[in-house]
Amino acid sequence: MNGLLIFDKPSGLTSHDVVSLVRRASGERSVGHLGTLDPMATGVLPLLLGKWTRLAQFFNAADKQYTGTIRFGFATDTYDAEGQPAGEPQPLRCSLEELRALSTRFHGTIDQVPPVFSAKKIGGVPAHKLARQGKEVAVKPARITIHDFALTGLEGDTASFAMHVSSGGYVRSVAHELGQLAGCSAHLSSLRRTQAGVFTLDDAVTREQLIEAANAGTVQELMRHPRTILPEMPAVTADEGSQTKLRNGMAVNLPEFSDAPLVRIFNGSKELVGIGKRVAGTLIQPYVNIA
């Protein structure tokens, strides 16, 4: 089964748990998610199935949007509510407006230090595995862009927020660092991903919907229409002869007259057969074959 599934991850499941769930529901063993969501977090988790997993490289740079809450008063070792408290509790003495003034530090392009308990690889090993073994973890700063970070309310010691951030950004780190600036420490207390790339919660299916479709044998119907994926690339339809040449690694002339470097190649209206790379003019060579 080939396709792109947008899943609304519930709290308590790891991203790998979701992969296992989709494997069982679809009967397809080749399944990969596009951007880890922590177990505590909920929301948009795109997954590629079958030969479409070869397209993962084109989704890596997608921006993400979130809503959530930050609890002030104490930090945790994981920077979120699932971790152990780190340090003595301290009362929040800042108003919402004061916190908003501090939050301006987290706008634009910044160098962010990821949490020690994260999926960042160190010598090929996820940092969180090393941290749980009690080993010293030296995570390097990563350059990210925070397009928007707005504190939308404050109730007691908990602030609500909305954030739009580039790929690779850690909301947990922002919560942790904002607590340091506020002088009382803080951690991420809830998180919901509302958008990943062009896909939103309106596109997502729930666990219940997936299980219902699995029982009815209609999981394929939950997949995104092939023409809606990677909309930044123009689409072109190839005839059977051209498709054969592309599968054999040959460049072909296709009726695509833009100057886009990469194009989606279809057989008919629905079947995506690959991604082509423009050589010159309308001459396209195979870049990723998925037929």
Side-chain angles (χ1 to χ4, degrees):
M1 185 180 295
N2 301 325
L4 171 66
L5 178 71
I6 312 301
F7 190 73
D8 185 354
K9 189 187 88 65
S11 182
L13 293 185
T14 67
S15 296
H16 183 71
D17 290 337
V18 175
V19 168
S20 297
L21 175 64
V22 173
R23 282 174 177 160
R24 292 194 300 272
S26 65
E28 172 58 56
R29 300 308 303 166
S30 183
V31 179
H33 64 76
L34 299 170
T36 301
L37 267 179
D38 294 330
M40 179 189 80
T42 68
V44 176
L45 182 65
L47 301 105
L48 291 169
L49 288 79
K51 293 181 180 179
W52 279 33
T53 54
R54 300 173 189 172
L55 302 175
Q57 60 186 294
F58 304 113
F59 293 88
N60 289 339
D63 286 356
K64 310 294 192 301
Q65 296 189 39
Y66 300 92
T67 59
T69 56
I70 299 170
R71 183 180 178 187
F72 293 88
F74 66 96
T76 69
D77 55 359
T78 59
Y79 298 179
D80 64 18
E82 296 194 320
Q84 297 299 314
E88 293 297 320
Q90 303 174 66
L92 171 65
R93 302 189 186 280
C94 295
S95 66
L96 176 59
E97 290 307 314
E98 289 170 328
L99 290 175
R100 283 173 171 163
L102 294 173
S103 73
T104 60
R105 157 71 178 77
F106 305 100
H107 285 83
T109 300
I110 63 173
D111 289 323
Q112 183 187 72
V113 178
V116 171
F117 287 87
S118 70
K120 287 288 185 182
K121 297 286 183 69
I122 299 177
V125 180
H128 67 83
K129 290 188 177 181
L130 297 174
R132 290 190 173 91
Q133 293 170 8
K135 297 181 179 179
E136 185 175 345
V137 181
V139 289
K140 296 180 180 180
R143 180 147 295 191
I144 65 164
T145 299
I146 300 178
H147 302 284
D148 186 53
F149 176 41
L151 296 177
T152 55
L154 179 65
E155 292 189 14
D157 60 2
T158 302
S160 54
F161 70 88
M163 181 183 290
H164 177 188
V165 63
S166 65
S167 177
Y170 281 87
V171 184
R172 285 184 284 149
S173 288
V174 172
H176 180 79
E177 292 179 27
L178 182 58
Q180 291 178 322
L181 292 177
C184 61
S185 300
H187 63 275
L188 185 67
S189 49
S190 69
L191 186 68
R192 183 158 177 76
R193 185 189 284 166
T194 58
Q195 186 164 341
V198 299
F199 303 113
T200 70
L201 286 168
D202 290 338
D203 304 313
V205 300
T206 64
R207 175 167 51 182
E208 292 71 27
Q209 288 172 319
L210 178 62
I211 293 172
E212 182 179 343
N215 292 335
T218 57
V219 172
Q220 186 70 60
E221 296 177 13
L222 300 179
M223 305 296 168
R224 299 293 300 170
H225 192 290
R227 291 273 179 171
T228 67
I229 73 156
L230 301 173
E232 67 275 14
M233 298 182 193
V236 61
T237 301
D239 60 29
E240 195 62 43
S242 295
Q243 291 178 48
T244 299
K245 290 179 179 179
L246 288 165
R247 282 193 293 269
N248 291 327
M250 301 169 62
V252 298
N253 279 294
L254 296 176
E256 207 299 301
F257 303 101
S258 74
D259 59 358
L262 298 174
V263 299
R264 295 170 294 159
I265 304 172
F266 284 87
N267 173 31
S269 62
K270 287 186 177 182
E271 185 186 0
L272 179 66
V273 296
I275 305 297
K277 184 175 183 179
R278 192 181 307 277
V279 178
T282 60
L283 186 63
I284 308 294
Q285 67 181 16
Y287 189 68
V288 176
N289 281 317
I290 59 174

